[in-house]
Amino acid sequence: MDLKQKTYLLVTGASRGIGREFAQQLSQRIEALGSVVVLLGRSQPLLEETKGTILKQNPELSVHTYALDLATARSEDFARILKYSQVSSADFQRAIVIHNAGTVGDTSKRAREIGDTEYLQEYYHTNVFSAIALNCEFMRTFAGIPKLVVNLSTLAAIAPISSMAHYCTVKAAREMYFRVLATEEPAPDTLVLNYAPGMIDTQMTEQVQREAHDPAVVAMFREQRESKTMLTTAQTTQRFLQVLAAQRFQSGDHVDYRDPVEP
């Protein structure tokens, strides 16, 4: 994580929430002239807000924004973005991709009630297929230079949570893909981290609290929100940066916000 080197940083879901905070905090630490930050999200106006904040903090950066619907995004879309936002991988000494974008799905249904394959195809495309396609193009584009690949994971990727069958299944599939990637692509050329950011006060947790069919899940989210024990995006981003700085994890590991940074 030597951000003094000429860096290419790409963050998905950068228009709000954790993605915006990650993009802003990492951009502050990029020092080398010629570095590039790429922001992907659904809302162009919100992406421009993120870009504006980044440029106030680090006006020397080149920041690109691309509005993209991950429900229909194809490999060709990601290849085009990577091509337009940089000249060649030889121009950079390090490349970082933060796979943050994701949706919680329909929490009003029990697992036994999930059977709409059209909905599932769109949901999996948004949360799994698009991340895999982007990662494929990222790895191809930046072959030969050190790469950091971060998947925003969750406790739901490794533990079942009532009301969240959609979310648990896509997060488990996505994390396993990145664990296989880490197995196949040796560190230090490729370093993979599955980071679980904890329970954050965001629109996603508001949706779960509002729509989940399980009263116990609703109560848990409500209690944490009302007691203000939910994490902020700034808190989990700070822990993420500490995890990267300490680098006590093995490539492909699942690291939770609550895990100690030091051994």
Side-chain angles (χ1 to χ4, degrees):
M1 274 300 296
D2 182 5
L3 295 180
K4 295 179 181 179
Q5 296 179 319
K6 192 173 179 182
T7 299
Y8 182 98
L9 168 65
L10 188 156
V11 183
T12 69
S15 58
R16 64 187 187 186
I18 300 175
R20 172 179 283 195
E21 191 69 29
F22 269 40
Q24 292 173 174
Q25 291 294 331
L26 284 168
S27 295
Q28 282 186 31
R29 290 160 172 79
I30 295 176
E31 299 182 15
L33 290 175
S35 294
V36 169
V37 174
V38 179
L39 309 173
L40 268 61
R42 285 183 293 182
S43 169
Q44 188 65 40
L46 292 178
L47 288 172
E48 291 299 324
E49 288 182 11
T50 307
K51 176 180 177 179
T53 302
I54 289 171
L55 290 176
K56 284 181 181 178
Q57 300 166 336
N58 194 341
E60 301 300 323
L61 279 177
S62 176
V63 182
H64 304 261
T65 60
Y66 298 93
L68 188 65
D69 184 358
L70 295 182
T72 56
R74 301 174 62 85
S75 294
E76 293 84 351
D77 299 317
F78 298 121
R80 185 166 55 253
I81 288 169
L82 287 162
K83 178 181 178 181
Y84 290 165
S85 59
Q86 50 89 39
V87 179
S88 72
S89 61
D91 291 332
F92 298 95
Q93 297 168 291
R94 180 172 301 280
I96 303 170
V97 59
I98 310 290
H99 294 281
N100 164 71
T103 59
V104 73
D106 187 349
T107 61
S108 70
K109 288 184 171 60
R110 296 174 179 273
R112 67 171 184 246
E113 298 171 320
I114 295 174
D116 184 341
T117 55
E118 185 174 344
Y119 177 89
L120 288 169
Q121 285 172 350
E122 180 176 315
Y123 185 66
Y124 271 74
H125 196 118
T126 300
N127 291 279
V128 182
F129 305 156
S130 63
I132 292 174
L134 168 57
N135 203 71
C136 175
E137 295 301 326
F138 176 83
M139 295 293 292
R140 181 186 61 78
T141 300
F142 294 105
I145 68 171
K147 293 172 286 297
L148 172 65
V149 177
V150 179
N151 171 45
L152 260 290
S153 188
T154 169
L155 175 64
I158 59 176
I161 300 176
S162 177
S163 298
M164 303 184 75
H166 284 106
Y167 190 63
C168 288
T169 53
V170 294
K171 284 297 191 178
R174 203 158 110 167
E175 174 150 333
M176 184 54 72
Y177 164 79
F178 286 106
R179 289 176 62 187
V180 172
L181 179 74
T183 300
E184 295 177 345
E185 306 295 328
D189 288 344
T190 301
L191 184 63
V192 180
L193 171 62
N194 291 292
Y195 177 67
M199 191 176 292
I200 316 296
D201 191 358
T202 62
Q203 291 184 359
M204 182 179 289
T205 54
E206 288 177 356
Q207 180 186 343
V208 175
Q209 183 178 328
R210 185 175 61 249
E211 299 176 358
H213 71 76
D214 189 331
V217 172
V218 173
M220 176 182 66
F221 277 69
R222 182 189 299 115
E223 179 184 354
Q224 291 208 22
R225 178 163 280 110
E226 291 177 351
S227 64
K228 300 189 183 303
T229 53
M230 276 189 174
L231 299 169
T232 66
T233 56
Q235 285 175 311
T236 195
T237 302
Q238 185 60 41
R239 177 55 59 89
F240 168 73
L241 293 171
Q242 292 171 353
V243 169
L244 291 183
Q247 207 167 119
R248 303 294 185 186
F249 62 92
Q250 298 296 313
S251 186
D253 279 355
H254 176 104
V255 179
D256 191 277
Y257 173 88
R258 299 166 299 179
D259 294 341
V261 174
E262 298 297 334

